[in-house]
Amino acid sequence: MDELNYGVLDEVWVNMFDFFDRSDQVKKLFKKYKFHPLPCAKMKLKTNYDQLGLNVVYTATEFFMEAQARDSIGDDNIKKQNSLGNNLANQVEAGAKVELPFCLARDLHVRGVVAIDVPPYFRKVSRTRKEIEADAAHVDLRSRSQYFYELGLKIVPLAGDKSIGPFLLVAFQTRYKEVLVKAHTAASAVASKHLTLLTNEEVKLCEAGQSSTAAFKKWRMGAPRLQKAPVLGRKRKPIE
Amino acid sequence: MASQADAHAATFSAAELEFLAEDELIEIVPNMRMDPLNLICGDFGPFRPQIATQVPVWLAVALKRRGKCTIRPPDWMSVEKLTQVLEAERDAEKFQPLPFHYVEISRLLFDHARDDIPDIYMVRSLIEDIKDVRFHKIGTGLEIISRERTYALRLKNLSAMEANIVRPFVTRALQTFYKLSSPDMIQDSDSVSNRQPQTANRGPRRQLKDR
């Protein structure tokens, strides 16, 4: 069996395990978000990870998105050595299918160690695609993935499936009209039911519209002319 | 000028827009005598009884509250003019030219100068109707950006309050469309992805204040 040169990979893995062992905070984070114990190199934490030379930082939103999007991936020549650390209980055989957080899967893919399998709702022949072609506005994308559009955008360069891009665009174009109407009307009951079908991106869009409309109506009904600035009232905590 | 609470939206709050609108000039008829006021924003006065003079709206409201003047409603705020504008709004696809702060100024005058506006109920309902028609047009206009690749949106003759309401929605929507349409461009070659998007020619930039 060919042994790939894991020089760089070893170093990264070792550093990550050191970091993982040292940091209770990281362990808690993983327990909370139900990660596989293999840590992700890129995270934004309030620890001194800079010392380990991990200088790539994602924003918190991307981090959680990538953590929650679990891909099933096919391993293609991966061989982890036992010497890498005590936390690694299993060895992964070549050709095995493993679920990993997206951030990890992408990094391994970039190193040419794994091949990524597209999630079922993005595949060319899938129920999601058929539903979107039929009536995109009422498809429950939130149940597929909260980060449907962002994940799709990130998968396109990795999976090499060029049809995902236009598919996402068409889906968003159709759903956008529905969001537009709902965002600027006052019917909150209908809107809240509709929100459960929307992905995070669409929810933010809807909320942006709704909040500005609500603020305008409140002003029109007679908001007080004197408002306390939000900066005031924040007291500094005394240094003890 | 966003309040710190909703920094992500980067909008003005309605009260802030009203504050900006109060800088517009309006005509008043004082009923007292006063020397000229030399303020940072300009000199106003002298004030003589029954002699009309132009002052900013905030000053007009302050004097009115003290019973020192009557406010003359602006020309555009008559029933005839507003009826014309309403009919034109309903017939045409474009927005009719209206004062930039018409929403805020009309509200200020309704609150503080109720007795100075003839046919106030008619004027009020006309302004509400005009607002509704314009909002409906904005909605139709926003649907268009989903049909083709849009980098910038031009809404001519939009007023301040209307722009403020749609601003967070439109900016987010445009950003999302931009992100989603770019993978289509990157088919195989890099030359396509290196091409800079041409922003739409927005024409001359609008002067927000005539100084």
Side-chain angles (χ1 to χ4, degrees):
Chain A
M1 189 171 294
D2 290 336
E3 285 198 3
L4 297 181
N5 182 5
Y6 290 106
V8 172
L9 191 59
D10 278 353
E11 188 182 32
V12 173
W13 281 115
V14 165
N15 281 342
M16 283 199 289
F17 276 108
D18 264 348
F19 174 55
F20 181 75
D21 281 341
R22 264 188 252 159
S23 167
D24 284 335
Q25 201 176 5
V26 175
K27 284 183 195 165
K28 278 187 204 159
L29 195 66
F30 285 153
K31 277 190 192 148
K32 189 176 168 192
Y33 291 101
K34 297 189 182 124
F35 288 173
H36 189 276
L38 292 173
C40 179
K42 298 176 173 72
M43 55 186 89
K44 187 175 179 182
L45 290 176
K46 293 175 194 165
T47 57
N48 51 351
Y49 61 84
D50 292 311
Q51 292 175 4
L52 302 171
L54 303 173
N55 55 358
V56 179
V57 172
Y58 279 52
T59 61
T61 317
E62 284 191 357
F63 167 61
F64 294 137
M65 170 189 85
E66 302 196 68
Q68 287 181 18
R70 291 175 172 274
D71 283 344
S72 60
I73 62 171
D75 285 78
D76 189 28
N77 265 344
I78 189 169
K79 183 176 166 190
K80 292 197 177 76
Q81 303 165 18
N82 280 332
S83 60
L84 279 182
N86 299 329
N87 286 336
L88 191 53
N90 320 310
Q91 253 193 339
V92 181
E93 300 290 335
K97 277 209 170 185
V98 176
E99 272 199 359
L100 287 185
F102 179 75
C103 52
L104 207 54
R106 182 184 38 201
D107 294 330
L108 294 175
H109 179 85
V110 162
R111 288 176 171 79
V113 158
V114 300
I116 289 198
D117 211 11
V118 165
Y121 37 86
F122 283 132
R123 286 183 195 141
K124 278 189 184 148
V125 181
S126 66
R127 201 172 143 202
T128 309
R129 287 226 190 187
K130 286 187 190 156
E131 285 181 12
I132 295 239
E133 275 160 30
D135 179 16
H138 297 99
V139 177
D140 185 3
L141 288 185
R142 198 173 187 86
S143 60
R144 268 83 171 183
S145 168
Q146 281 184 25
Y147 303 98
F148 193 79
Y149 298 109
E150 293 101 324
L151 187 60
L153 281 173
K154 298 206 176 202
I155 280 193
V156 165
L158 300 179
D161 183 4
K162 300 290 177 206
S163 67
I164 294 182
F167 159 62
L168 287 178
L169 183 59
V170 162
F172 186 69
Q173 274 171 344
T174 330
R175 292 166 71 86
Y176 160 79
K177 285 184 202 154
E178 196 71 22
V179 171
L180 173 62
V181 166
K182 293 275 167 25
H184 292 105
T185 54
S188 58
V190 177
S192 56
K193 250 194 276 179
H194 184 66
L195 280 176
T196 54
L197 304 178
L198 303 177
T199 67
N200 275 12
E201 183 83 31
E202 291 162 344
V203 163
K204 277 188 212 161
L205 199 58
C206 199
E207 277 169 5
Q210 274 176 346
S211 66
S212 51
T213 316
F216 168 68
K217 287 196 170 118
K218 190 177 165 197
W219 169 78
R220 204 168 48 146
M221 291 305 141
R225 280 177 61 83
L226 286 177
Q227 287 177 346
K228 194 174 170 195
V231 181
L232 298 174
R234 278 189 216 165
K235 293 182 186 162
R236 261 192 302 188
K237 287 182 188 164
I239 301 169
E240 287 167 27
Chain B
M1 256 212 239
S3 72
Q4 294 192 8
D6 57 344
H8 74 281
T11 52
F12 295 92
S13 75
E16 284 162 352
L17 270 187
E18 192 184 42
F19 184 77
L20 291 175
E22 284 173 341
D23 275 337
E24 301 279 335
L25 291 176
I26 199 172
E27 207 168 50
I28 62 162
V29 179
N31 57 15
M32 46 61 174
R33 174 176 281 266
M34 197 159 74
D35 286 335
L37 290 173
N38 303 115
L39 307 173
I40 291 174
C41 62
D43 299 328
F44 306 106
F47 299 97
R48 300 283 176 263
Q50 311 312 322
I51 308 281
T53 179
Q54 296 253 336
V55 295
V57 170
W58 61 268
L59 184 55
V61 165
L63 290 174
K64 175 77 186 173
R65 287 175 81 171
R66 288 159 177 78
K68 304 282 184 199
C69 70
T70 58
I71 298 183
R72 264 200 205 152
D75 295 333
W76 56 267
M77 220 163 150
S78 65
V79 174
E80 298 83 26
K81 224 36 194 353
L82 287 174
T83 318
Q84 274 178 5
V85 168
L86 179 61
E87 280 171 12
E89 283 282 1
R90 281 185 177 145
D91 296 334
E93 276 187 9
K94 297 183 182 176
F95 295 99
Q96 299 305 306
L98 271 175
F100 191 51
H101 292 284
Y102 82 94
V103 180
E104 299 93 294
I105 292 182
S106 58
R107 188 181 164 261
L108 278 167
L109 293 185
F110 291 148
D111 284 348
H112 298 105
R114 197 169 278 267
D115 42 348
D116 293 335
I117 303 174
D119 297 323
I120 186 170
Y121 294 110
M122 194 65 191
V123 168
R124 196 170 208 163
S125 84
L126 281 168
I127 289 189
E128 290 288 318
D129 290 342
I130 290 174
K131 222 182 333 179
D132 290 335
V133 171
R134 287 167 74 98
F135 269 118
H136 179 73
K137 275 193 200 168
I138 290 173
T140 335
L142 288 182
E143 280 186 34
I144 294 176
I145 71 173
S146 66
R147 282 184 227 148
E148 6 173 291
R149 268 195 103 175
T150 317
Y151 294 117
L153 195 60
R154 180 184 186 164
L155 294 165
K156 216 173 158 194
N157 290 327
L158 203 63
S159 77
M161 188 59 82
E162 290 155 4
N164 195 47
I165 290 175
V166 297
R167 185 180 296 121
F169 185 86
V170 167
T171 45
R172 284 200 83 95
L174 282 175
Q175 269 173 16
T176 315
F177 274 117
Y178 182 73
K179 273 194 292 189
L180 288 177
S181 357
S182 46
D184 297 353
M185 296 285 282
I186 306 170
Q187 288 298 329
D188 286 295
S189 59
D190 287 336
S191 59
V192 175
S193 62
N194 284 340
R195 190 169 65 185
Q196 292 294 325
Q198 304 284 333
T199 50
N201 177 22
R202 284 175 294 213
R205 300 201 72 153
R206 191 188 185 287
Q207 282 285 355
L208 287 179
K209 258 197 189 329
D210 296 327
R211 288 250 180 244

